Amino acid sequence: MEILMSILAGILFATGVYLLLQRQLLKIIFGTALLSHGAHLFILTMGKLNRGAPPILVEGIEDYVDPLPQALILTSIVISFGVTSFLLVLAYRAYKTNQTDNMEHLRGNDHE
Amino acid sequence: MSNLVILPILIPLLAGAILVFWRKKLMVVRVGAQLVTIINLIVSSYMAYVILQDGPLILETGGWMAPYGIILVGDGLSIVLVVTTNIIAVASAFYAPNSLDKGREEHYFYTFFLMLIAGVSGAFLTGDIFNLFVFFEVLLMASYGMIVLGGTKEQLRESIKYVLLNLFSSILFVTTVSFLYSVTGTINMAQLSERVGQVNQDGILTTIAILFFVVFATKGALFPLYFWMPHSYTKPPAVISALFGALLTKVGIYSILRVFTLIFIGNIDYTHTFFIFLAGFTLLFGVAGALSTNNIKLIIAYNIIPAIGFMVMGIGIFTDLSVAGAVYYLIHDMIIKAALFFLVGAIAIAAGTSDLRKISGLIKHYPLLGWLFFIACITLAGIPPFSGFIGKLLLLKSAFANENFIVAGIGLLASLLILISVIRIFVQGFWGESMSLPTEKRSIKPLYFPISFLLFFSILLGVGAEWFLPHIQQIGVDLMNPSGYVDAVLKE
């Protein structure tokens, strides 16, 4: 199961990087979203995917699930959610002001 | 257990949130931000006094014991950097009202500013590697807010690249943390240090170490990952550039310093030698950038890069002396970079342009500005008795002692070129024919206070080296012996 999940995370990473290298801003943003999904899946996998009881001490139960990766993912999801929404607004504003969403045109040679 | 440790994070965070409610009443917000930064400076100075006297202060948040909960650790290195951050914060709080336009100030500049200070202090104080990521995000979110503030064409253009790059390296950071967690089963830095030490840092851990290095080097603008930095840092107004240049890249360097003195020290031959190579390239390429442009803000922004090179060189050589030198240089560079960005901001206001070819003969109109700039230049280049000299002396001494002659030579050459790149602003901008000044502009008189305030500390750090040096050397020794940190945190 871990191997399957790792491959899935790898596919997400690969797709994300491919999209990051595109010229259109929206595709790049989708790329970052896929990358962060890949990262989150990866955290889950790294914490080992085993079944067990919630990590609360109860007599007679010895198989507990590691709660830490879930706490990490939750934090990370909230952050990437915030950043992605910011990035969408920023891309929209940049498109409005610069009249282009093509990264090739956003290079800028300054005013030198 | 001491609640004092969280105050430098809590005070600006709460104040930033509260100030949102008075965004139209600029007087309240300005004075509020100034007061908060001063209070924060006093609190952190008191903390520094306590820590340097009695050793590290530790806070186990929520009462969770050390390896399980998130802990905040105020050791010598963290606290001197927090104090330096707050010195810059005070100066910025006084520089901002006199240099920013009303629109930017009303659109929550001070909130973003205080959040940034909270994030930077948090990154310095945390003892948990995932929490370090969280504080990185706090300060990055604040910086995203600041870099787009005003929404001009160039700003929006550069901020997209800035946000995308930081987002990518943050994702890499999380992935690397999860790698490390799967190998070691912990994210507490002290426990990581212990566990990595036990298993002899082998292939997989060295890979993780280099991944961490890539993440921090991207944030810290190290060769070859610095390309995004100069342009995006110079597009916003001077005070924001100063905060970015003085604080953001330095958090990356602090992280390298922390992670590669505390956790990944099992394979020094490979990792730290690699750093020395990169440091050499960083020194050369950064200074080449600084010499290549005529935009005064860009010259200062490019000068951030060789300074990073010096610090990484200190980390790479990895002796008590060189690490102390890196810490000294880090503190010096935070203050002097903020001062230089303030100064070129003032020059740009006075001359009405930041193109060096159009500026000349300013010394007749602004003698004080000229001499302050001159002092800042020679401090940056490291001419004794100013603070740049002490840091460079420690670094070069340790480089020669360890027979790293090439990097030491590059360091000396870079120092000379740094001096040329900044003195060029002084020679062309202040000497020569008096230019016609713009008729309508703001007074730069109120800007002298924050600039002199920073230069005062910079000179104090050089002239008063005898007071500071023993403490910095102690920090160097402590960093090279991570068992002290581990014992303090895990209380064994």
Side-chain angles (χ1 to χ4, degrees), chain B residues 91-170:
Chain B
S92 305
F94 281 90
Y95 191 90
N98 302 306
S99 67
L100 283 180
D101 51 293
K102 195 159 165 267
R104 285 196 168 96
E105 276 190 283
E106 275 184 354
H107 283 88
Y108 312 109
F109 167 78
Y110 295 98
T111 299
F112 290 133
F113 162 62
L114 290 170
M115 296 285 173
L116 184 80
I117 301 298
V120 172
S121 309
F124 289 148
L125 286 170
T126 186
D128 179 293
I129 203 143
F130 189 78
N131 201 231
L132 181 66
F133 159 73
V134 174
F135 276 116
F136 260 104
E137 288 305 310
V138 172
L139 69 91
L140 283 174
M141 277 310 255
S143 78
Y144 298 159
M146 277 177 151
I147 201 169
V148 296
L149 208 60
T152 62
K153 258 184 166 181
E154 293 104 40
Q155 258 180 307
L156 288 172
R157 193 184 70 209
E158 293 302 323
S159 57
I160 288 181
K161 299 167 196 169
Y162 175 78
V163 174
L164 280 175
L165 188 112
N166 277 301
L167 184 55
F168 183 78
S169 73
S170 295

Side-chain angles (χ1 to χ4, degrees), chain B residues 56 124 148 195 233 308 390 401 424 462:
Chain B
F124 289 148
V148 296
R195 292 202 175 161
Y233 275 23
I308 301 285
I390 317 280
R424 209 158 56 103

Side-chain angles (χ1 to χ4, degrees), chain B residues 3-67:
Chain B
N3 284 326
L4 201 59
V5 189
I6 205 166
L7 283 182
I9 307 170
L10 207 58
I11 295 170
L13 196 68
L14 288 180
I18 292 168
L19 287 183
V20 169
F21 296 110
W22 289 285
R23 78 163 176 124
K24 293 276 181 193
K25 294 204 175 69
L26 278 183
M27 274 323 283
V28 179
V29 186
R30 284 172 180 170
V31 175
Q34 285 163 356
L35 273 180
V36 167
T37 49
I38 291 171
I39 292 169
N40 208 11
L41 178 59
I42 295 168
V43 170
S44 51
S45 309
Y46 172 69
M47 256 174 80
Y49 173 75
V50 173
I51 288 170
L52 295 177
Q53 292 276 315
D54 314 331
L57 283 177
I58 287 154
L59 173 65
E60 292 159 337
T61 52
W64 287 83
M65 290 280 289

Side-chain angles (χ1 to χ4, degrees), chain B residues 49-343:
Chain B
Y49 173 75
V50 173
I51 288 170
L52 295 177
Q53 292 276 315
D54 314 331
L57 283 177
I58 287 154
L59 173 65
E60 292 159 337
T61 52
W64 287 83
M65 290 280 289
Y68 306 111
I70 293 169
I71 53 154
L72 298 175
V73 185
D75 71 337
L77 174 65
S78 313
I79 196 62
V80 291
L81 293 176
V82 169
V83 172
T84 318
T85 304
N86 282 305
I87 290 171
I88 292 161
V90 172
S92 305
F94 281 90
Y95 191 90
N98 302 306
S99 67
L100 283 180
D101 51 293
K102 195 159 165 267
R104 285 196 168 96
E105 276 190 283
E106 275 184 354
H107 283 88
Y108 312 109
F109 167 78
Y110 295 98
T111 299
F112 290 133
F113 162 62
L114 290 170
M115 296 285 173
L116 184 80
I117 301 298
V120 172
S121 309
F124 289 148
L125 286 170
T126 186
D128 179 293
I129 203 143
F130 189 78
N131 201 231
L132 181 66
F133 159 73
V134 174
F135 276 116
F136 260 104
E137 288 305 310
V138 172
L139 69 91
L140 283 174
M141 277 310 255
S143 78
Y144 298 159
M146 277 177 151
I147 201 169
V148 296
L149 208 60
T152 62
K153 258 184 166 181
E154 293 104 40
Q155 258 180 307
L156 288 172
R157 193 184 70 209
E158 293 302 323
S159 57
I160 288 181
K161 299 167 196 169
Y162 175 78
V163 174
L164 280 175
L165 188 112
N166 277 301
L167 184 55
F168 183 78
S169 73
S170 295
I171 292 170
L172 198 59
F173 195 173
V174 182
T175 318
T176 316
V177 170
S178 70
F179 260 132
L180 189 60
Y181 179 70
S182 78
V183 177
T184 59
T186 180
I187 47 170
N188 179 293
M189 289 195 206
Q191 210 181 11
L192 277 173
S193 168
E194 236 181 20
R195 292 202 175 161
V196 173
Q198 280 164 6
V199 295
N200 279 331
Q201 191 180 331
D202 55 3
I204 182 82
L205 277 167
T206 307
T207 313
I208 294 170
I210 294 296
L211 271 173
F212 269 117
F213 181 75
V214 170
V215 171
F216 297 141
T218 316
K219 314 254 180 203
L222 203 73
F223 174 85
L225 301 163
Y226 67 82
F227 55 88
W228 57 277
M229 192 273 282
H231 284 279
S232 58
Y233 275 23
T234 46
K235 290 297 176 287
V239 61
I240 298 176
S241 306
L243 286 168
F244 282 15
L247 302 177
L248 294 195
T249 46
K250 306 306 183 291
V251 179
I253 295 304
Y254 161 80
S255 310
I256 294 177
L257 189 57
R258 180 64 88 199
V259 167
F260 285 93
T261 54
L262 183 64
I263 303 172
F264 300 113
I265 45 174
N267 204 346
I268 295 167
D269 284 344
Y270 178 72
T271 50
H272 290 62
T273 316
F274 176 59
F275 296 171
I276 296 180
F277 276 100
L278 283 184
F281 283 116
T282 309
L283 282 164
L284 282 179
F285 280 85
V287 101
L291 288 168
S292 72
T293 172
N294 275 313
N295 182 327
I296 51 174
K297 273 183 100 174
L298 214 48
I299 294 176
I300 304 301
Y302 269 113
N303 263 310
I304 296 173
I305 301 166
I308 301 285
F310 275 115
M311 292 164 216
V312 173
M313 174 178 136
I315 303 169
I317 294 168
F318 207 58
T319 59
D320 286 3
L321 193 66
S322 77
V323 170
V327 174
Y328 205 99
Y329 203 81
L330 182 57
I331 299 165
H332 145 79
D333 196 62
M334 285 167 84
I335 295 178
I336 196 68
K337 281 290 140 56
L340 275 167
F341 271 113
F342 284 175
L343 278 162

Side-chain angles (χ1 to χ4, degrees), chain B residues 283 310 313-314 317 321-322 325 389-405 407-413 415:
Chain B
L283 282 164
F310 275 115
M313 174 178 136
I317 294 168
L321 193 66
S322 77
F389 172 70
I390 317 280
K392 270 180 196 158
L393 180 73
L394 296 178
L395 287 171
L396 292 173
K397 216 161 105 180
S398 55
F400 281 116
N402 285 278
E403 305 191 338
N404 291 309
F405 296 119
V407 79
I410 293 175
L412 285 170
L413 177 72
S415 303

